[in-house]
Structure formats: C-alpha cells, structure tokens
Amino acid sequence: MNVFLSYILLGLSLAAPIGPINAAQIDKGIKHGFMHSWLIGVGAVAADGVYMLVVYYGVVNFLEHPFMKTFLWLFGCFVLLYTGIETIVSANKLEMEGKRKEEPLVKSFISGFFMSISNPLTILFWLGIYGSVLAKTAATYETSQLILYSSAIFIGLLIWDFTMAGVSSNFRKYLTSHLLIGISLLSGISLIGFGIYFGFQAFTVLFG
C-alpha cells in the first residue's frame, strides 16, 4: 500500500509544476467553470497515457529522430501560440455577471490533449521519469503490479487536475472583472511564451 501511495504522490508531483496545461486550466476554470477546466487536464492525462504506452512498448527511438523532434516542437509551438492568442483576444469578453458563454466540453478535452501530446517536454518527461520507474518496477514486480502502479501515477495526475479545476472555477467568485481579465491575459502571455520557447527549440534542432 505504501508503494501504491508513493506512486500516487509521484503522479501529483509530475502534474504540479506550472506549465501550459496548468495555465490553460486556470483560464478555462475562470471563463467556463469546473468541467471545462477539468477536461483540459483529462485531455492532457490521455496524452500522457499515449506516451506511457510508447515508452512501455519501446517506440522511443522513432521519437528521438531529428525530423520527429522538429515536427513536435513546431506543432507544439503552433498549438500554444494559437491557444495563447485566443485567450488574450477573448479576455476582454469576460463577464462577471450572467451566464457564462457556453463552449463544447469536447473542445476543452481536445485542447488539453493536443497541448500535451505536441509537447516534446512531455516525451522527455515520460522517457526520463516513467522509463526509469518502468525499469525499476519491471525488475522488482510482476506485470499486474506494474499496471497497478502505473494506474497510481494516473490517479495522482487526475487528483491534481480535479484540484486545479475546483480552485480555478471557484476562484472566480472572489475576483473583480479587472482581475479576471488580468489573470486571463497573464495565462495567454504564459502560453505564448511557452510557444515561442518551443519554436526556438525547433529552430535549434533544424539549424543547431
């Protein structure tokens, strides 16, 4: 049980650092409420699952090819710049009172999924963290326990996403419209900043 809890803690630790997903979750929670914010996180966790399988089945060499690296950095750059610009443009349309503008829930899920799957840092992250966890666990435990401990990491990720969604959606009640717009603008700038960084990394891979 202690080992299982330690893997849940690992999942929480992996999700906690502020990055594009957390910035997008805060923005969605403030603008559209809990479910939209949570589904950004669920989409990101689904992408994590894809990379977890990639690491598990050893398809890592394919992802380390310069062409794939460049493609992923550029795709990530596009996704983050687009999301960041959209966030800034829609910041002034925030309304404190009245009904929040409805947006399809699936859009939030897809946004979180593509933001995470197009992030080469996610690959390196799962390669380094999960790869080493996999090696250690496979050497010590059976396959059924490997699946159990992998699911514990996901539980940790989902707990963090649930918490972020709850905090950001409830935070709205205590903010003035100016503060809401300010937070939304900061979220957008943060996403654009990450997008520029990704673009720079693509340039480095191509011409470095």
Side-chain angles (χ1 to χ4, degrees), residues 26-120:
I26 291 166
D27 182 63
K28 284 287 182 192
I30 286 170
K31 284 183 183 171
H32 302 291
F34 176 84
M35 282 304 292
H36 287 276
S37 178
W38 186 60
L39 283 170
I40 287 261
V42 171
V45 171
D48 288 338
V50 171
Y51 281 129
M52 196 180 256
L53 287 172
V54 163
V55 174
Y56 183 80
Y57 287 108
V59 195
V60 172
N61 293 332
F62 173 68
L63 293 172
E64 288 183 330
H65 192 276
F67 171 78
M68 277 307 295
K69 275 187 180 177
T70 307
F71 172 77
L72 285 166
W73 282 120
L74 286 173
F75 186 51
C77 172
F78 169 76
V79 170
L80 290 170
L81 287 176
Y82 174 81
T83 311
I85 291 165
E86 187 185 46
T87 299
I88 288 171
V89 168
S90 62
N92 289 321
K93 297 174 187 171
L94 281 174
E95 293 173 10
M96 287 298 293
E97 304 299 331
K99 194 176 178 183
R100 289 170 178 155
K101 187 185 172 186
E102 286 302 316
E103 187 180 276
L105 287 170
V106 71
K107 186 181 175 185
S108 295
F109 176 85
I110 290 168
S111 178
F113 181 82
F114 278 114
M115 242 188 277
S116 187
I117 202 117
S118 65
N119 184 349

